[in-house]
Amino acid sequence: MAVEDKNISYRIYLVAFFIFLMAMAIAVKLTNIQWVEGDHYRKLAKERTVKNFVIPANKGNIYSADGSLLATSIPNYVIRFDAVAPKSEAFEKNVKSLSDSLSILLKKPSSFFLNEFRKARANKNRYFLVARDLSYTEYMKMKSFPMFNLGPYKGGIIVEQKTVREHPIGKIAERTIGYERKTPSGTLDGKGIEWAFRKYLNGKDGKVLKQKIAKGQWKPIRDVNEVDPQDGYDVISTIDVFIQDIAHHALLKQLEEYDAEHGCVVVMETKTGKVKAISNLGRDDKTGNYYETVNYAVAESHEPGSTFKLIDMIALLDDNKVDTSKVYDSRGGVISYRGDKVRDSHEGGYGKISLGKGFEVSSNTILVQAVYENYKNDPQEFIDRINKMGLNKPLGLPFKGEGKPIVHQTTDKNWNPNILPWMAFGYSVAMTPLQTLTLYNAVANNGEMVKPQFVSEIKEWNKTIKKYDKQVINPKICSDATIKKLKSLLQNVVKRGTGAKLYSKDFSMAGKTGTAQANYGTNGGNDKHYISSFVGFFPAESPKYSCVVVVHEPNTSLNNYYGADVAGPVFKRIAQKIFTDAPSTNEIRNINRVVQKQEANYNTFYKKSEKKYRLVPNLKGMSGMDAVAILGNLGVKVKVIGVGKVKKQSIQPGENLAKNTTIILELS
């Protein structure tokens, strides 16, 4: 018995010893966790339950030259409810009133919300969706509703914010305004102004600290952000909405009429190079409708055809090779060079005519003879003229994907003697529509070649951050004497040449038609199609605007694909509308006459602007311009949506007025 008791005692001691060892190991581990690895585990626990989320900064707006919004960031809100957060007393006291308020705002029965809230409470749902796609005004209203006004911890409201990019004027100029987006691989990509000027538009992101409340569900720890986002700067484009609308619809009408594949139009201010309108429309093969898809004016380099003949005339006249009065024989409309035939579009040719007349009627045989005879012994002399004008290089636009011009050099491996005569009527070379327009604009601008400009200014509210001045590519592409002759020739094209159908006694235009064949060397010529173009300037005597129109693949079954007939009417419609419909052409009479309504509106504005506000003023019904002026004087930032009078304001009248607050005004 004693032996058995002794064995039991040993076992007890042994168990006690092992327990002691385990206790010591646990103590050592706890000490190690507490003092050695504690920081690591605390950090890990915090990262898994609390972390910073990025608050994307509001992108700056893109404005037209006349102040219209082309692109703006609109805040968009999602409201959720943590049904566990409110205490029972607060929940029961406020849930009915909250349901009634939501019913009015969201146009659903109060009973619907009441049932959903009670169900969420019973199920301990910490992420119940209340509403999505709310405007800032709707979010502010909802935030003030019963229970929600207690905040995230006592009231259970969870707010998620994102920004949505909107284009108030719709699809017009959409391709040039552009976009910025994330690709499936996660890299950033974009097009147009949005991408080219993103370093100004994007601002700086903020941070908000959120706590994990369930799997994949997070809510802010407090009402304030760790780092507030900083809005991006505004970009003021050169686009004029009035001219843009004219150009867009003129091009669209012609594309539909001729069942064309795609086309583009650009209107540029002659002296500055500011692009006042640009439209790029391509056909959707499924629907047959036209959309802004590719920036053809910037990116598409192709053989220009007869519009290139202006370069022939610049070289011939400025190099003193011949004068416009020099007579050539069109040789029945066909001339051969080493087995390759050059033909006139007019069957039988034009007989014997002057070089000037040959340009006006766009005779291939006349222009080719003039260039070939004078430059065949030194073709590089002709090409050097092109290089000197800068036409062998891209314009260096801020947009990625600008098409590269093709101007063959005599040093190229693939150079052959027939390239020179083919260049003379716009083949074996390639230019984008905007590069062609830049050349014609230089003639209109008395020889000064300026770079096309799409943005005039970067602004932070009313403060200029950066201004873009005129950029000169070539101060003088040729002599004044040559410019004078070229302007006369281009006017005659419209008066009595290939563009005679476009002539109007009401307003003067100058320009050149072009009809080029494309894909003529592929698939045995079965894929051949036409490119119709017209480029020029108006008014002819004192050019204010230059314009290029290019239409690809007009339907040949309509038996008309020439530049004068397909592209020319777009040019004429733009010129006509600008100078007959533009408000700036209207004569102002009785300028000193007092208009009672105007006086009353001014007095109302003056009283409000002089008033010292401590609370947000009621701006509803005021003109947008006046409302912006009042808020600007108060040190408040303003974002404007729409045009007209103030319909809604994001911060309601009577709320405390804090400087550096942003108020969104919705106009109609």
Side-chain angles (χ1 to χ4, degrees):
M1 187 70 179
V3 174
E4 186 177 345
D5 289 342
K6 192 174 182 180
N7 289 335
I8 291 172
S9 297
Y10 284 143
R11 292 192 192 105
I12 291 172
Y13 290 141
L14 187 61
V15 170
F17 179 72
F18 277 117
I19 291 173
F20 174 75
L21 289 178
M22 288 177 64
M24 289 297 294
I26 291 171
V28 170
K29 186 64 177 176
L30 287 174
T31 303
N32 187 57
I33 290 173
Q34 179 71 24
W35 300 107
V36 180
E37 300 177 6
D39 290 341
H40 168 72
Y41 285 110
R42 278 190 290 271
K43 182 181 177 183
L44 189 63
K46 187 176 180 181
E47 286 176 351
R48 291 179 177 178
T49 58
V50 178
K51 70 176 181 179
N52 272 313
F53 284 76
V54 172
I55 307 173
N58 282 331
K59 293 184 72 169
N61 295 330
I62 300 176
Y63 290 93
S64 65
D66 54 330
S68 298
L69 267 175
L70 300 180
T72 186
S73 292
I74 304 296
N76 186 280
Y77 297 88
V78 175
I79 305 297
R80 296 181 182 273
F81 177 56
D82 180 357
V84 177
K87 292 182 179 180
S88 296
E89 183 181 348
F91 181 82
E92 294 299 334
K93 179 182 177 181
N94 293 295
V95 68
K96 179 65 169 66
S97 300
L98 174 59
S99 299
D100 292 342
S101 300
L102 289 171
S103 175
I104 295 171
L105 180 64
L106 302 178
K107 311 301 181 188
K108 288 184 179 181
S110 175
S111 59
F112 167 80
F113 292 107
L114 187 60
N115 291 334
E116 291 297 315
F117 282 132
R118 291 199 179 280
K119 191 188 300 181
R121 181 81 170 178
N123 295 332
K124 296 184 179 181
N125 188 340
R126 306 202 67 181
Y127 208 57
F128 170 65
L129 176 64
V130 179
R132 64 170 77 247
D133 296 328
L134 296 179
S135 68
Y136 181 81
T137 304
E138 291 169 330
Y139 154 63
M140 291 302 293
K141 284 182 180 178
M142 194 174 290
K143 190 179 177 184
S144 67
F145 287 171
M147 192 145 60
F148 284 174
N149 60 10
L150 299 177
Y153 285 96
K154 293 182 179 180
I157 185 173
I158 301 172
V159 180
E160 298 171 356
Q161 178 187 342
K162 64 178 181 178
T163 55
V164 179
R165 203 67 170 161
E166 296 286 348
H167 298 105
I169 66 169
K171 298 290 185 180
I172 293 178
E174 183 182 36
R175 190 56 189 72
T176 300
I177 297 169
Y179 59 84
E180 183 182 7
R181 67 184 180 191
K182 270 190 177 181
T183 64
S185 63
T187 58
L188 289 174
D189 186 26
K191 302 289 184 184
I193 293 174
E194 290 272 19
W195 179 253
F197 293 87
R198 64 191 182 280
K199 74 175 183 178
Y200 296 109
L201 287 165
N202 284 350
K204 295 181 180 178
D205 292 341
K207 292 181 180 179
V208 60
L209 198 62
K210 291 186 179 183
Q211 184 176 37
K212 191 173 185 179
I213 57 176
K215 186 177 181 180
Q217 299 175 5
W218 300 76
K219 76 173 184 180
I221 287 179
R222 43 184 170 265
D223 288 337
V224 296
N225 300 321
E226 298 298 299
V227 178
D228 286 327
Q230 295 181 24
D231 290 350
Y233 297 132
D234 293 331
V235 170
I236 314 301
S237 77
T238 59
I239 300 294
D240 183 298
V241 171
F242 172 74
I243 299 175
Q244 178 68 41
D245 187 64
I246 293 170
H248 173 88
H249 287 97
L251 176 64
L252 177 61
K253 178 180 182 295
Q254 209 69 354
L255 291 175
E256 291 175 338
E257 184 174 335
Y258 283 90
D259 191 29
E261 204 278 330
H262 68 269
C264 66
V265 57
V266 183
V267 181
M268 192 159 73
E269 197 172 69
T270 303
K271 294 192 178 300
T272 64
K274 291 180 178 179
V275 174
K276 309 309 289 183
I278 177 168
S279 185
N280 299 276
L281 296 174
R283 183 174 57 196
D284 185 316
D285 291 334
K286 293 181 180 179
T287 65
N289 296 325
Y290 291 92
Y291 300 97
E292 289 260 347
T293 51
V294 177
N295 200 336
Y296 300 111
V298 171
E300 190 170 44
S301 186
H302 58 81
E303 290 176 314
S306 293
T307 56
F308 194 82
K309 291 172 183 173
L310 181 67
I311 293 174
D312 300 349
M313 298 304 295
I314 292 173
L316 290 165
L317 295 175
D318 219 47
D319 288 343
N320 296 313
K321 299 292 186 182
V322 292
D323 193 49
T324 55
S325 58
K326 167 80 174 181
V327 175
Y328 289 89
D329 189 345
S330 63
R331 302 184 187 182
V334 182
I335 187 170
S336 294
Y337 291 94
R338 296 174 183 81
D340 291 332
K341 294 182 178 180
V342 176
R343 300 178 184 273
D344 281 326
S345 59
H346 183 267
E347 191 173 348
Y350 300 92
K352 293 183 179 181
I353 56 174
S354 68
L355 176 62
K357 183 65 176 178
F359 180 81
E360 292 167 14
V361 298
S362 201
S363 169
N364 293 335
T365 58
I366 299 296
L367 269 296
V368 167
Q369 286 184 75
V371 169
Y372 188 72
E373 287 180 7
N374 287 283
Y375 292 100
K376 63 182 178 182
N377 295 327
D378 186 6
Q380 191 62 43
E381 183 185 3
F382 178 75
I383 294 165
D384 284 343
R385 169 65 65 169
I386 300 172
N387 297 343
K388 185 179 178 182
M389 288 189 283
L391 299 176
N392 61 324
K393 300 175 183 178
L395 294 167
L397 301 176
F399 309 136
K400 65 178 183 179
E402 180 187 356
K404 294 181 180 179
I406 297 173
V407 178
H408 292 291
Q409 309 291 313
T410 55
T411 54
D412 292 346
K413 290 181 180 179
N414 60 350
W415 174 265
N416 71 74
N418 271 11
I419 288 179
L420 177 63
W422 251 248
M423 288 178 72
F425 68 114
Y427 290 86
S428 293
V429 290
M431 299 174 72
T432 68
L434 200 51
Q435 289 158 0
T436 299
L437 177 62
T438 301
L439 170 64
Y440 277 74
N441 189 78
V443 173
N445 197 29
N446 298 318
E448 184 183 64
M449 183 181 285
V450 294
K451 184 177 179 178
Q453 184 178 334
F454 291 85
V455 168
S456 61
E457 200 172 358
I458 308 295
K459 298 192 78 173
E460 181 184 25
W461 182 223
N462 58 352
K463 176 186 174 184
T464 297
I465 303 299
K466 185 173 183 178
K467 205 169 183 67
Y468 293 88
D469 297 320
K470 177 178 72 174
Q471 295 185 52
V472 178
I473 298 173
N474 190 321
K476 201 73 174 175
I477 63 168
C478 58
S479 68
D480 289 335
T482 298
I483 289 291
K484 186 176 180 180
K485 291 177 182 178
L486 294 173
K487 284 184 176 180
S488 178
L489 288 171
L490 291 168
Q491 280 184 267
N492 288 338
V493 169
V494 177
K495 287 180 180 178
R496 63 192 186 205
T498 53
K501 292 180 181 179
L502 307 176
Y503 176 75
S504 172
K505 59 182 178 58
D506 298 322
F507 55 92
S508 59
M509 302 178 294
K512 182 74 184 73
T513 60
T515 308
Q517 291 183 10
N519 286 357
Y520 48 84
T522 60
N523 195 22
N526 293 325
D527 294 333
K528 180 181 72 176
H529 61 262
Y530 292 90
I531 303 171
S532 306
S533 58
F534 190 95
V535 56
F537 46 86
F538 55 90
E541 296 79 11
S542 181
K544 186 174 182 181
Y545 298 106
S546 59
C547 176
V548 64
V549 182
V550 181
V551 176
H552 282 252
E553 299 185 47
N555 193 332
T556 54
S557 66
L558 300 175
N559 296 321
N560 203 340
Y561 46 80
Y562 292 106
D565 300 303
V566 178
V570 179
F571 182 97
K572 180 178 181 179
R573 200 169 294 124
I574 292 169
Q576 185 177 31
K577 279 192 167 289
I578 286 176
F579 284 100
T580 58
D581 296 351
S584 60
T585 61
N586 296 334
E587 182 181 356
I588 300 174
R589 298 178 181 176
N590 300 325
I591 193 168
N592 295 317
R593 180 169 62 90
V594 175
V595 180
Q596 295 302 324
K597 185 176 180 181
Q598 186 180 46
E599 285 291 299
N601 288 340
Y602 174 75
N603 290 332
T604 300
F605 164 72
Y606 182 76
K607 287 178 182 178
K608 288 194 175 186
S609 65
E610 289 296 299
K611 186 177 177 180
K612 303 299 181 185
Y613 291 99
R614 292 184 179 178
L615 301 177
V616 175
N618 186 357
L619 303 168
K620 292 178 182 177
M622 292 187 66
S623 73
M625 186 181 296
D626 291 346
V628 168
I630 289 172
L631 293 175
N633 290 333
L634 297 175
V636 177
K637 294 181 180 179
V638 188
K639 285 189 180 294
V640 179
I641 302 171
V643 293
K645 294 185 177 181
V646 178
K647 180 177 68 174
K648 291 182 181 178
Q649 57 189 88
S650 61
I651 300 180
Q652 298 306 307
E655 294 191 24
N656 288 328
L657 183 64
K659 286 199 173 186
N660 298 321
T661 297
T662 298
I663 293 182
I664 300 172
L665 301 179
E666 295 183 30
L667 311 183
S668 64

